[in-house]
Amino acid sequence: MSRALPGLTLDELEHELGSRTRALEALKWLWSQRPLAAALPEAIPEVSHRVWKPFAARTGLTLPTVAQRLESPDGTTKYALDFSGTQVETVRIPAKGRSTICISSQAGCTRKCVFCATKELGFIRQLKAEEMVAQFMVARAEAPVEAPASNVVFMGMGEPFDNLDEVLRAVNVLTQSPAPQLRAVSVTVSTSGVLPGLQRFLAESKASLALSLNATTDEVRTQVMPQNKTWPIASLLGELRADAVRTKGKRQTFVEYVLFGGLNDTDDDADRLVQLLAGIPSRVNLIPYNPYPGTGLRTPSEEQVRRFHQRVVDQGVLCLVRWPRGREIAAACGQLVRSTSGEGFSPSEVDGAL
Ligand code: SAH
């Protein structure tokens, strides 16, 4: 069986269907389905039955079933999606005139960030590109008409740079013509800072990048993100600096900084953050820690968050606070975990390029 249709690129489809025109028609069909088809039909318009039928038989649609859908009062909607027994989470975050879909790149996660609930799941398996694209399809199909799904962030479960081939393929599919044709700048891949993956992504992709920095010293970062021992702060920021020179500052780059009370939220941290980001055109997203039990970490007071923010802004760095959305339904950053007992969700946020 070849790859499922949502994971195929236009060139691959052309090869499968024997012509560019048929490939374009197949993509138009795929992206105009509302509600989504459950399986590939025997025929689609404008593609000869003779070619389509054997293709449909050897490929598939592999859309997930919606195991659970939770909507918070602000319209943020969290989906538990089931791909033949593997559950992942996807979140739709509406904003003025558009929605952002936050998708998972792994079931569970290969990383062990102390503050993130997803680590409780351990690593279950890599997701295929079609499963990432399918998450987008499901959430997009239910987006409000006045807020169409125009943005994607890889900020759900998983570390995208530990599954980079599939993530790059998904980015290609999401940005290709004739559909869904998202702008590369509107697709953001977020990493905990896996250096080899970061280097390859920066060399190969035009998509936006978010780096989860979360600390200003290696000592503190290693405490909350153990992988920092292998890829310390200077190694990661060195790549962003080189990328800024190479792309002449054209890549949209976000620096995610989760604020932990008393640990990384001091005035010195704010000053160090500004120094660390010299030469890196970026926007900082401050995310007040969404508490997750047993970590010993604290959420700073709102006043402390505002003070940190102001101190960074005063030194000329673009910086926004991402006040949590969807906390009521545990759809916020670091809260994406599906309890193994199937009882629902426990406390993650989807942030950055919202
Ligand atoms: N593995 C990738 C993408 C998933 S996490 C990465 O680390 O970037 C998406 C964002 O949520 C990251 O910036 C992460 O630092 C943040 N996050 C994780 N747990 C959190 C929590 N408990 N509270 C607030 N933000 C959290």
Side-chain angles (χ1 to χ4, degrees):
M1 179 169 139
S2 72
R3 213 176 251 282
L5 178 58
L8 292 175
T9 63
L10 180 60
D11 288 347
E12 289 168 338
L13 259 178
E14 178 178 340
H15 180 77
E16 292 275 348
L17 298 174
S19 95
R20 192 74 163 183
T21 316
R22 290 183 201 130
L24 290 166
E25 291 301 332
L27 283 178
K28 282 186 207 152
W29 173 83
L30 180 67
W31 291 99
S32 60
Q33 290 304 296
R34 254 181 215 235
L36 297 178
L40 289 179
E42 292 247 313
I44 63 166
E46 311 296 332
V47 177
S48 94
H49 185 243
R50 175 184 56 80
V51 175
W52 180 261
K53 202 173 168 203
F55 168 71
R58 65 177 180 272
T59 181
L61 199 52
T62 60
L63 293 185
T65 54
V66 180
Q68 194 169 8
R69 182 194 281 99
L70 292 172
E71 189 171 345
S72 100
D74 68 8
T76 302
T77 304
K78 176 158 109 164
Y79 296 89
L81 300 180
D82 189 307
F83 291 94
S84 327
T86 303
Q87 285 204 359
V88 302
E89 290 182 2
T90 306
V91 184
R92 184 180 57 245
I93 307 123
K96 204 166 189 276
R98 65 162 196 225
S99 293
T100 296
I101 313 297
C102 172
I103 65 179
S104 298
S105 56
Q106 299 179 317
C109 190
T110 35
R111 299 289 149 192
K112 299 196 164 51
C113 303
V114 168
F115 48 83
C116 179
T118 302
K119 76 165 185 306
E120 295 299 314
L121 293 174
F123 174 61
I124 301 167
R125 73 166 171 85
Q126 304 286 17
L127 296 182
K128 304 283 286 176
E130 48 268 47
E131 294 172 320
M132 301 175 207
V133 174
Q135 293 173 55
F136 173 69
M137 290 175 73
V138 169
R140 165 191 186 263
E142 295 181 2
V145 190
E146 69 282 6
S150 58
N151 291 51
V152 166
V153 292
F154 286 79
M155 294 188 186
M157 292 177 164
E159 170 46 52
F161 289 176
D162 286 336
N163 189 15
L164 190 51
D165 286 339
E166 296 298 315
V167 166
L168 287 175
R169 172 183 279 273
V171 171
N172 284 343
V173 168
L174 290 170
T175 52
Q176 82 187 345
S177 301
Q181 229 182 345
L182 301 184
R183 299 167 63 217
V185 67
S186 307
V187 176
T188 303
V189 182
S190 182
T191 183
S192 57
V194 175
L195 185 64
L198 178 65
Q199 290 165 327
R200 194 177 147 208
F201 174 83
L202 294 175
E204 293 182 20
S205 182
K206 289 195 169 70
S208 300
L209 175 81
L211 172 67
S212 300
L213 187 61
N214 298 343
T216 62
T217 64
D218 282 321
E219 193 193 341
V220 170
R221 193 166 193 271
T222 302
Q223 197 179 319
V224 291
M225 304 177 81
Q227 67 191 60
N228 188 68
K229 274 194 252 82
T230 315
W231 303 301
I233 293 174
S235 68
L236 302 170
L237 295 183
E239 293 300 326
L240 298 195
R241 218 163 269 123
D243 182 66
V245 173
R246 218 170 26 231
T247 63
K248 302 194 173 62
K250 286 214 179 83
R251 186 189 311 276
Q252 176 125 276
T253 304
F254 301 94
V255 171
E256 310 288 295
Y257 194 92
V258 180
L259 283 165
F260 304 107
L263 185 65
N264 68 352
D265 65 343
T266 64
D267 288 355
D268 283 349
D269 282 299
D271 297 349
R272 267 194 303 268
L273 180 59
V274 171
Q275 285 158 19
L276 283 172
L277 297 183
I280 305 176
S282 56
R283 195 180 89 192
V284 176
N285 286 316
L286 297 176
I287 314 169
Y289 171 57
N290 285 309
Y292 150 59
T295 62
L297 296 164
R298 282 196 298 113
T299 308
S301 66
E302 198 173 317
E303 188 195 344
Q304 187 59 24
V305 172
R306 293 196 192 284
R307 178 185 166 97
F308 191 97
H309 172 245
Q310 197 58 49
R311 197 163 173 106
V312 172
V313 168
D314 286 346
Q315 296 178 68
V317 171
L318 278 171
C319 180
L320 288 179
V321 179
R322 292 302 189 175
W323 299 105
R325 298 189 57 184
R327 232 186 218 172
E328 304 88 341
I329 54 167
C333 282
Q335 298 188 301
L336 295 182
V337 58
R338 176 113 176 108
S339 76
T340 39
S341 62
E343 277 162 9
F345 305 97
S346 89
S348 174
E349 176 140 39
V350 282
D351 249 309
L354 307 184

